[in-house]
Amino acid sequence: MTDSQKRRRRIALGAAAGAVVLTASGVGVAEAAAAPPALSFVAATNTVTAERYVEGDDAYLYLDLGLHLIAGKDAFEVRAKRTGYDKPITATRSVVKNGKKTQVALPAGTVKDFTGLKDFTAYVIKDKAGKVVAQYSTPFCGNSYSSGRTRRDAPATNPYPTRCGGENPFTLGAVWGVQAGWDAAVQDQPSTPGGLSKLKAGKYTVTATVDAKYQKLFGIPANKATAKVTVNVVDVKYDEAKLARSKKATALESHAATGHGLHHGEGDASRQVSSYLPEFRAAASKPKQLPLTPKTGPKPDLRSLPAWGISLAEGVDEKTGKTTGKWYVNFGATVWNAGTSPLLVDGFRRTGTEVMDAYQYFFDAKGKQVGSRPAGTMQWDPREGHLHWHFTDFAQYNLLKADKKLAVRSGKEAFCLANTDAVDYTMAGAKWRPDNTDLATSCGANTVVAVREVLDIGNGDTYSQDRPGQSFDITGLKNGTYYIQVLANPSNKLAELSTGNNSALRQIVIGGTAKKRTLTVPKVYGIAG
């Protein structure tokens, strides 16, 4: 037998004996042969410590069980969509068959809203004596800020959103997913605030189980559907700063699990994506020659959603804390991009001033820049809580009388564009992982010479109008029917596919007396938000 034949024989015998042979991907044959289940439910550790803060009669417990769902050889993906606000939500799951991805409809009623798969994980908490002391369920969507790959041959990147969605009552479509071989954190805090505050210091056992209907629906084996964790609850000395950090961590976990992004009015202006990410850097100077706005090709399409989160507030003097006798209507206003291109506006600073000249840019289907046009101005806002550049020609908010004539105009007339809300991630070209999602990641500092502001496809920009000058002062208005108007592109300085959907009206009814005003907000499309 030749040396070459001997070598081939040794390789064959080794493989037959079950020896691990590395494939080109670096995965052993034995490892690759054992295909993982579609989803596996795991605990990162068997034991965790939970800190309980107590102040007087109030207690606060932050729980992090370290639970994760891991996708198998294919990504786990669910798409939820409704064709109209008065239509039911339908959902599909992406399934790979014969190497091709197909959409398989989920049973009607599986998805009831856009925050995730309802009651996905059930929790039972028992004390040291085995007595059940708490039971609750949490939703699951898979989208996560902190996911990572869990095996060597998993894809290098995760395409799925970081937010579940559903923060906006007028959401149209959501995409939830876990990349193949990656993990997604499972929400372990109950949705009810303070739901675990009654747990005393001591040792507990938490059993978390994926609901049986989801086990069957997504092919999760029974032995991969339950995780058990021992929790040691300890009382810690009350420390306001530490408690604030823990509450912030819980809030961030809740944002990631439910999709509640930070809307305008919040954020850290000292941290600006536009300062360090190349895709958010404008050119150093405005273009000397401007190609005409393309007549055809991709463009944004700004659409206004009906006002939401509407409430009535009595004015309070900030210094004395006493009521002022004034009454205000607060509201949230969203404009989203339903077009075929992102809205991209670059601002170029006028030397020695706090004003920028703004230009809208256009791109072809391959992403090549093909034109630009003047789009008004940007202005530096030095007020506390802002400290960024505002684009002055994005939107306008009006309170109209019953005859649709102007009653009050909001003082909010300039905007820092950010992708705060996932309105429809099922549409073609939707940006699932935008970088500028709040004021901490948008609109530049006062030391820059140029700024880029972007509203991506499928994303919306929400402003919460709950400050005097921005909310509507209704103190002197008569009782009756009014309409909150959200108006995008009010001066038509931005080029878009259509301007026929730029205005949205939301009816409200003002009543009561001068000393006690009342507010009624009728449902629209059956939505009370």
Side-chain angles (χ1 to χ4, degrees):
M1 182 179 292
T2 66
D3 288 343
S4 177
Q5 289 173 325
K6 290 178 182 178
R7 281 197 297 272
R8 286 197 296 269
R9 178 172 173 78
R10 282 198 294 270
I11 293 173
L13 287 173
V20 174
V21 180
L22 291 181
T23 65
S25 65
V27 181
V29 169
E31 179 184 349
L39 284 174
S40 299
F41 191 38
V42 302
T45 181
N46 295 326
T47 304
V48 299
T49 297
E51 295 180 340
R52 182 174 179 265
Y53 300 87
V54 181
E55 183 187 23
D57 295 331
D58 296 327
Y60 176 79
L61 176 67
Y62 172 61
L63 186 66
D64 182 1
L65 297 174
L67 300 178
H68 306 263
L69 273 168
I70 298 175
K73 67 182 184 66
D74 298 317
F76 172 77
E77 179 181 308
V78 171
R79 297 184 176 224
K81 185 176 180 62
R82 57 183 171 188
T83 57
Y85 295 120
D86 56 346
K87 304 296 183 182
I89 298 173
T90 60
T92 61
R93 179 189 174 194
S94 294
V95 177
V96 178
K97 294 182 178 180
N98 299 322
K100 294 183 178 180
K101 182 186 288 188
T102 59
Q103 297 295 323
V104 177
L106 296 181
T110 299
V111 175
K112 301 182 186 302
D113 58 35
F114 291 105
T115 62
L117 299 166
K118 186 177 178 61
D119 297 333
F120 187 89
T121 312
Y123 293 86
V124 177
I125 302 179
K126 295 182 179 180
D127 62 16
K128 193 173 182 179
K131 179 183 177 182
V132 175
V133 293
Q135 289 181 288
Y136 58 94
S137 294
T138 62
F140 176 77
C141 81
N143 300 348
S144 174
Y145 286 97
S146 58
S147 60
R149 54 181 170 184
T150 63
R151 62 173 192 258
R152 293 167 56 195
D153 66 330
T157 59
N158 176 15
Y160 294 106
T162 57
R163 304 171 290 175
C164 294
E167 65 268 26
N168 194 305
F170 296 100
T171 298
L172 286 169
V175 175
W176 306 320
V178 185
Q179 174 66 297
W182 285 56
D183 81 294
V186 176
Q187 181 180 338
D188 46 23
Q189 291 280 141
S191 300
T192 305
L196 299 176
S197 61
K198 293 182 179 180
L199 295 185
K200 305 296 184 182
K203 188 174 184 179
Y204 299 86
T205 301
V206 180
T207 302
T209 306
V210 176
D211 186 273
K213 70 177 181 181
Y214 293 117
Q215 292 183 39
K216 181 178 179 181
L217 191 60
F218 300 131
I220 306 174
N223 65 345
K224 298 289 186 179
T226 296
K228 186 175 290 188
V229 179
T230 298
V231 180
N232 293 312
V233 176
V234 297
D235 285 336
V236 296
K237 184 178 179 180
Y238 176 78
D239 180 286
E240 186 173 353
K242 191 172 184 180
L243 178 59
R245 288 194 297 270
S246 292
K247 286 186 175 180
K248 182 178 181 180
T250 303
L252 289 174
E253 178 182 312
S254 176
H255 288 321
T258 63
H260 293 291
L262 298 177
H263 294 154
H264 283 295
E266 307 173 57
D268 178 4
S270 67
R271 298 172 55 250
Q272 303 290 342
V273 158
S274 54
S275 300
Y276 57 86
L277 284 186
E279 59 267 36
F280 281 94
R281 290 189 195 138
S285 61
K286 60 186 178 183
K288 294 180 180 179
Q289 293 182 346
L290 295 176
L292 295 175
T293 303
K295 293 182 179 180
T296 60
K299 286 187 180 69
D301 184 12
L302 300 181
R303 297 186 183 183
S304 296
L305 296 179
W308 56 284
I310 303 169
S311 64
L312 180 68
E314 187 173 8
V316 176
D317 187 282
E318 292 184 357
K319 294 182 178 180
T320 65
K322 296 181 179 180
T323 58
T324 62
K326 289 183 173 292
W327 292 89
Y328 299 91
V329 171
N330 303 327
F331 61 99
T334 306
V335 174
W336 74 290
N337 183 1
T340 52
S341 171
L343 171 66
L344 190 150
V345 180
D346 281 354
F348 304 97
R349 192 167 189 165
R350 297 176 187 173
T351 304
T353 73
E354 295 189 341
V355 176
M356 290 189 180
D357 293 307
Y359 291 81
Q360 180 186 4
Y361 284 80
F362 306 94
F363 306 85
D364 63 18
K366 295 182 179 180
K368 180 183 177 181
Q369 182 176 304
V370 293
S372 59
R373 62 179 275 173
T377 59
M378 295 182 186
Q379 297 176 350
W380 174 252
D381 191 333
R383 294 174 298 168
E384 188 66 31
H386 294 271
L387 299 175
H388 49 233
W389 291 89
H390 276 162
F391 177 47
T392 57
D393 295 278
F394 179 65
Q396 184 182 96
Y397 311 137
N398 302 309
L399 184 63
L400 307 180
K401 302 175 185 177
D403 61 4
K404 309 296 174 63
K405 293 182 179 180
L406 182 66
V408 181
R409 175 164 293 167
S410 168
K412 181 64 181 175
E413 296 179 339
F415 305 84
C416 166
L417 302 188
N419 297 295
T420 62
D421 294 29
V423 178
D424 189 357
Y425 275 6
T426 64
M427 66 181 299
K431 183 73 173 287
W432 289 355
R433 297 174 70 92
D435 292 295
N436 59 327
T437 55
D438 56 41
L439 297 188
T441 55
S442 306
C443 307
N446 197 25
T447 53
V448 301
V449 296
V451 162
R452 173 164 295 174
E453 300 194 14
V454 180
L455 185 60
D456 284 303
I457 299 172
N459 288 271
D461 188 6
T462 294
Y463 270 84
S464 297
Q465 308 301 309
D466 54 7
R467 298 179 181 180
Q470 296 182 355
S471 54
F472 294 125
D473 184 347
I474 64 166
T475 306
L477 296 185
K478 297 179 180 179
N479 290 346
T481 296
Y482 294 83
Y483 295 90
I484 297 176
Q485 181 190 40
V486 179
L487 180 62
N489 193 14
S491 302
N492 289 321
K493 290 184 178 180
L494 297 171
E496 48 179 323
L497 294 177
S498 171
T499 58
N501 45 31
N502 286 8
S503 177
L505 301 180
R506 183 71 187 270
Q507 181 184 7
I508 64 172
V509 180
I510 298 173
T513 65
K515 292 185 177 181
K516 186 64 177 177
R517 303 305 296 264
T518 63
L519 177 69
T520 303
V521 184
K523 292 182 179 181
V524 57
Y525 307 114
I527 298 173

